[in-house]
Amino acid sequence: MRQALRGLTTRGRAFVAAGITASLCALLLGQKDLLRVGILLVALPVVAALVVGRTRLRLQVRRSLTPNQIPVGTQATVELALSNEGRMPAGLLLLEDRIPYVLGHRPRFVVDRVSPNWRRTVSYPVKSDVRGLFQVGPLMLTVADPFGLVETSRTFTRSQHLLVTPRVYKLPEIRLGADRAGSGENRPRAIASAGEEDATVREYRDGDDLRRVHWRSTARRGELMVRREEQPWQSRCALFIDARTISHHGHGPSSSLEWAVSAAASIGADRIRRGYATTMLGGPTTLSAINHRSSTAVHQPLTSQQLLTECATVEEHRYAEIGPLLTVDRHAQEPSLVIAILGACASEDITALNRWRTSQATGVALVLDAASWAVGAEATEKAARLTAATDATENELRRNGWRVARVRRGDQLPTVWSGLGLRTGRIA
């Protein structure tokens, strides 16, 4: 009863206030008829609260989301199977499913006269033009009296998650000079041609075991060198996405960050399909590894599903430099192909990228001209500075042996990708 009285609507509170006022005026003026009206106005919300308070529903809800993963711009269907497992009927019910605004308006259903063993199935569509992981539900049930004087709410606990993935493009097949798949003989020949000492050691990196230091090479080169772990060769691809706030412009689906995320998902899926063991840096797993000081999850090869999940949940972050995002992957096996999707970079960022890319790896960079995504006054003020910084980034990467493609707003990824290598004439 107390909960029902706390659930008085604006109309119910107005009735109570009007009834009390009328009753006081009737007592002061000695008007019995007005007193009856005042008592009636107060009694109506109280009776409604009694009726609503005695409603004992055992409403069960079963939710299904089909499918639970969709690309941006496509539609999924939520189905709610409702049933009253109790023996008591109920009056007017309002059902509202809680969903994020990006999935559409919150669906509401009005149900009248819920009888014992009552069952009904309702469904509604959801659609998002924004990628991400969204919670669908829980369902909120509101019980109200026929006059709208009192209503009480109950929220169910169960919900589901809808994964909205970025758009994935089919990419043209190109030769990048890093296609050494499987466990063939390409790697042993490379070792023999480079010399045993040079091919089996590399520079020391933070976190390397000191027991692996190769002292002869260290003395000859003047810097710490460690032995490489012997392992069967497989083509490996390391993918980096620059999601720093300072690297992007624009808002929503048309921002430069969304272009970068779609490119990362498309390129990563393409490499996985071609048999590459693919890892990704710069996403939420990398940030979590930095915060928890653990790189275990970062250097594990991704499946296509894991890649899409990682890309769907990428968010802008405020790291000033790229270096910390790359050095978290210290213990990963050295890749034959590194692909970076970047904004404008400072000289320290270029140095970090060159350290990340080993001498035997093919380096590919997609440099986003963020100025082309800037709009209005933002574009006027920052366009010249951003363009100059992007030019410097592109030129410096080329001087260091990277294959670079400049990306402007409106460019299509398959076209940009085809310009990075020699076409074979087939579509992936």
Side-chain angles (χ1 to χ4, degrees):
M1 180 63 185
R2 289 181 180 178
Q3 183 179 0
L5 288 175
R6 287 197 295 267
L8 285 172
T9 62
T10 302
R11 182 184 300 176
R13 296 177 188 276
F15 266 61
V16 172
I20 293 174
T21 303
S23 299
L24 291 176
C25 291
L27 292 176
L28 292 175
L29 300 175
Q31 296 291 328
K32 294 183 179 180
D33 292 337
L34 183 59
L35 180 61
R36 294 189 184 96
V37 172
I39 294 174
L40 177 62
L41 290 175
V42 174
L44 278 175
V46 173
V47 173
L50 286 171
V51 172
V52 172
R54 287 190 173 186
T55 300
R56 295 291 184 269
L57 278 179
R58 293 180 57 192
L59 194 66
Q60 301 293 325
V61 179
R62 291 186 298 276
R63 178 192 305 275
S64 64
L65 180 60
T66 309
N68 58 10
Q69 176 180 317
I70 56 174
V72 292
T74 58
Q75 183 174 289
T77 301
V78 181
E79 185 174 274
L80 302 173
L82 311 170
S83 62
N84 181 20
E85 305 296 335
R87 298 182 179 180
M88 294 291 293
L92 189 66
L93 301 181
L94 174 63
L95 305 173
E96 180 179 354
D97 211 13
R98 296 182 176 178
I99 61 174
Y101 72 94
V102 297
L103 297 182
H105 296 290
R106 288 187 173 181
R108 295 183 176 183
F109 309 95
V110 177
V111 179
D112 192 15
R113 296 181 182 179
V114 177
S115 59
N117 299 321
W118 170 89
R119 281 172 172 74
R120 181 173 297 180
T121 300
V122 296
S123 62
Y124 63 92
V126 289
K127 179 181 178 181
S128 175
D129 293 324
V130 180
R131 61 176 174 81
L133 184 64
F134 303 106
Q135 179 175 312
V136 179
L139 181 70
M140 185 173 69
L141 167 68
T142 301
V143 182
D145 70 287
F147 302 105
L149 303 176
V150 179
E151 61 182 30
T152 59
S153 299
R154 167 193 170 190
T155 301
F156 294 84
T157 58
R158 292 184 178 180
S159 61
Q160 285 183 291
H161 286 90
L162 175 66
L163 182 67
V164 182
T165 60
R167 183 174 180 182
V168 176
Y169 294 89
K170 287 187 176 181
L171 300 181
E173 184 177 346
I174 61 176
R175 293 196 299 272
L176 295 172
D179 301 318
R180 292 174 283 188
S183 56
E185 299 179 356
N186 291 331
R187 179 62 171 170
R189 290 196 188 102
I191 292 176
S193 63
E196 182 180 356
E197 186 173 310
D198 291 338
T200 57
V201 296
R202 62 168 171 79
E203 65 179 5
Y204 175 83
R205 298 173 180 173
D206 293 339
D208 284 338
D209 190 345
L210 290 176
R211 291 173 295 182
R212 293 174 54 200
V213 173
H214 193 277
W215 296 109
R216 183 178 300 175
S217 298
T218 297
R220 184 171 65 83
R221 299 193 181 188
E223 60 178 334
L224 280 177
M225 306 296 293
V226 296
R227 298 182 183 88
R228 290 177 178 165
E229 296 179 355
E230 294 182 1
Q231 57 198 4
W233 178 256
Q234 180 186 14
S235 291
R236 304 184 67 85
C237 174
L239 184 64
F240 172 71
I241 179 171
D242 182 2
R244 298 175 299 167
T245 301
I246 59 175
S247 298
H248 296 283
H249 280 284
H251 303 282
S254 60
S255 67
S256 60
L257 176 64
E258 294 308 308
W259 197 101
V261 170
S262 178
S266 302
I267 295 171
D270 179 76
R271 294 297 97 184
I272 292 173
R273 187 167 57 250
R274 298 184 187 282
Y276 280 74
T278 303
T279 57
M280 178 173 165
L281 295 175
T285 301
T286 301
L287 300 181
S288 177
I290 294 174
N291 293 334
H292 296 89
R293 299 187 178 183
S294 171
S295 63
T296 303
V298 175
H299 62 255
Q300 296 297 325
L302 301 172
T303 64
S304 296
Q305 178 59 47
Q306 290 169 335
L307 173 73
L308 288 176
T309 302
E310 182 81 357
C311 291
T313 52
V314 168
E315 294 182 355
E316 286 189 6
H317 55 78
R318 297 189 177 276
Y319 274 85
E321 296 181 358
I322 285 177
L325 305 172
L326 298 175
T327 54
V328 72
D329 199 20
R330 284 300 189 188
H331 300 287
Q333 299 177 17
E334 294 181 1
S336 59
L337 174 65
V338 294
I339 302 174
I341 304 169
L342 308 164
C345 296
S347 58
E348 296 83 1
D349 299 327
I350 301 294
T351 301
L353 286 166
N354 289 328
R355 288 178 179 173
W356 175 56
R357 174 200 168 206
T358 60
S359 59
Q360 296 183 2
T362 299
V364 177
L366 275 64
V367 180
L368 276 64
D369 188 353
S372 63
W373 273 273
V375 294
E378 182 182 43
T380 304
E381 296 173 3
K382 300 181 179 180
R385 180 178 59 82
L386 285 173
T387 300
T390 305
D391 290 341
T393 300
E394 180 181 0
N395 294 333
E396 187 64 23
L397 288 172
R398 290 187 189 277
R399 279 196 295 268
N400 285 276
W402 291 73
R403 295 188 182 185
V404 183
R406 181 78 165 263
V407 180
R408 296 176 176 83
R409 184 174 185 176
D411 288 349
Q412 297 298 312
L413 177 61
T415 304
V416 173
W417 185 252
S418 66
L420 289 168
L422 298 174
R423 293 283 301 270
T424 63
R426 298 194 302 272
I427 297 297

